[in-house]
Amino acid sequence: IERMINMKSLANLTEEQFLQCIQEDGMQVTLFTTNGYQQRGTVCAHDENSITVVGQDGVQMLIYKHAVSTIYAGTHKTA
C-alpha cells in the first residue's frame, strides 16, 4: 500500500507516529531546541528519549527530546 502524507495529516499524528513517518519518508526537517539552536537534516533514528538527525553535511547529531521545542517537517528528500 502506497502511503500519501500531506502536512494536514501530519498534524493529527502522535509524536511516535510523526517521527516514524518523517523518518521513513526521508523528509527534510528543521529541529528547534529550547535554547534556540536549529538543526536541519533528516531523522535517521529515534527512541523514547532522543532523536538522531543527519545534517546536510552528513554529520549525525543526537538530540534529547526534552531539549526539543519544535520540529518543522519540510519537503521529501531529493534523490
Side-chain angles (χ1 to χ4, degrees):
I1 298 172
E2 187 171 325
R3 184 177 59 179
M4 296 296 289
I5 296 178
N6 61 41
M7 296 315 262
K8 286 186 178 181
S9 68
L10 285 178
N12 296 322
L13 300 176
T14 65
E15 173 188 318
E16 183 66 26
Q17 291 170 325
F18 174 77
L19 289 170
Q20 192 66 36
C21 283
I22 61 177
Q23 180 181 350
E24 289 174 358
D25 292 347
M27 295 182 82
Q28 291 290 318
V29 297
T30 304
L31 193 143
F32 298 88
T33 61
T34 53
N35 66 354
Y37 182 78
Q38 294 181 27
Q39 175 64 38
R40 291 183 176 88
T42 56
V43 174
C44 67
H46 60 90
D47 63 19
E48 183 179 309
N49 298 310
S50 62
I51 301 169
T52 304
V53 177
V54 177
Q56 296 168 337
D57 56 0
V59 175
Q60 289 186 1
M61 179 169 281
L62 176 69
I63 302 172
Y64 289 100
K65 286 183 177 178
H66 72 268
V68 174
S69 167
T70 307
I71 300 174
Y72 172 76
T75 59
H76 289 276
K77 188 178 189 179
T78 57

